[in-house]
Amino acid sequence: MANTSQSLRRAALLVSAVAVLGLTTACGDGSGTVSSPQTQSGTAAPAGGDPSADGSGTAVSSSSGSDTATGSNSASTPSGSSTSASSGSGVTSGSRCHTSELKATVGGNDPGAGQENFPIVLTNASGRTCTVRGYPGAAFVNASGTQLGPDPVRETGSTATTVTLKPGQSAWAGLTFSNPEISGAKTATPTTLVVTPPDEKDPLKVKWTAGAVPVSGNSSSVRLTVFSAGTGA
């Protein structure tokens, strides 16, 4: 009987050990050892918080670009990843443009059909080639830095393309709103347009000299389009 009891205990211990080993393997990497939490690569959400894969929330297409920049379909290349060899500056040539590498300006108004239309222009001020893709973030603020009006909305019909900028080249996104004198919207006059490049967190500030903008009431929405090659002029 003693030998039988010892055999049963050994069998029970063996079953327990097998169960623990199975649990460890299921929680690990398949090699029988527990793996540490994996950190996924990627970039910050684009301005506006759109979590879509390309940072635009819209369909992806290709563009032939222009004399000042080129556009291409890079859906298979995640934003922020390498598309060419290293430039030797510590930042991969062909990866997205960072805020510190860009200069922001606002082009002249091109009004039409009761709309005010301004190009937000980002120029590559760095010494390497980089890309922009999707929508900018934008906000009107007063002299004390207080935002005037709600966040702009994104034009849902816009199609995102990856715009490649060599040093000195530019891309533009449209900023448009209804003329307040026609729409009757309440207005305020900002001192600054704060612009956040796609997939970046740090903004750029541009002096706003185009007068009052709608901040509430009928037809007060300010709308943004995705970036295209060129300056919008």
Side-chain angles (χ1 to χ4, degrees), residues 175-187:
L175 181 151
T176 183
F177 53 83
S178 296
N179 185 314
E181 294 183 1
I182 297 175
S183 69
K186 181 179 179 181
T187 64

Side-chain angles (χ1 to χ4, degrees), residues 10-223:
R10 283 196 296 269
L13 289 173
L14 180 59
V15 170
S16 298
V18 170
V20 170
L21 178 60
L23 179 61
T24 302
T25 303
C27 295
D29 58 7
S31 63
T33 58
V34 177
S35 60
S36 59
Q38 299 298 306
T39 301
Q40 299 298 321
S41 61
T43 61
D50 192 320
S52 63
D54 66 6
S56 70
T58 61
V60 177
S61 72
S62 61
S63 168
S64 60
S66 71
D67 292 339
T68 57
T70 59
S72 65
N73 183 347
S74 64
S76 61
T77 304
S79 175
S81 64
S82 172
T83 57
S84 64
S86 173
S87 64
S89 62
V91 180
T92 304
S93 175
S95 63
R96 83 173 188 274
C97 301
H98 299 290
T99 301
S100 61
E101 299 173 304
L102 296 168
K103 175 184 177 182
T105 56
V106 176
N109 186 16
D110 182 21
Q115 295 291 116
E116 310 302 317
N117 306 298
F118 298 87
I120 298 174
V121 182
L122 293 182
T123 301
N124 182 2
S126 74
R128 72 181 185 102
T129 297
C130 58
T131 63
V132 295
R133 179 184 180 84
Y135 296 88
F140 291 111
V141 299
N142 61 20
S144 64
T146 300
Q147 181 171 334
L148 303 175
D151 292 336
V153 297
R154 296 173 172 185
E155 291 283 7
T156 56
S158 297
T159 301
T161 59
T162 298
V163 183
T164 300
L165 302 178
K166 294 179 180 179
Q169 292 183 336
S170 301
W172 72 281
L175 181 151
T176 183
F177 53 83
S178 296
N179 185 314
E181 294 183 1
I182 297 175
S183 69
K186 181 179 179 181
T187 64
T189 301
T191 60
T192 304
L193 176 66
V194 178
V195 178
T196 307
D199 295 307
E200 292 291 300
K201 292 183 177 180
D202 296 327
L204 297 164
K205 295 182 179 181
V206 184
K207 185 178 180 180
W208 182 259
T209 60
V213 300
V215 294
S216 66
N218 294 335
S219 301
S220 62
S221 295
V222 177
R223 297 185 176 275

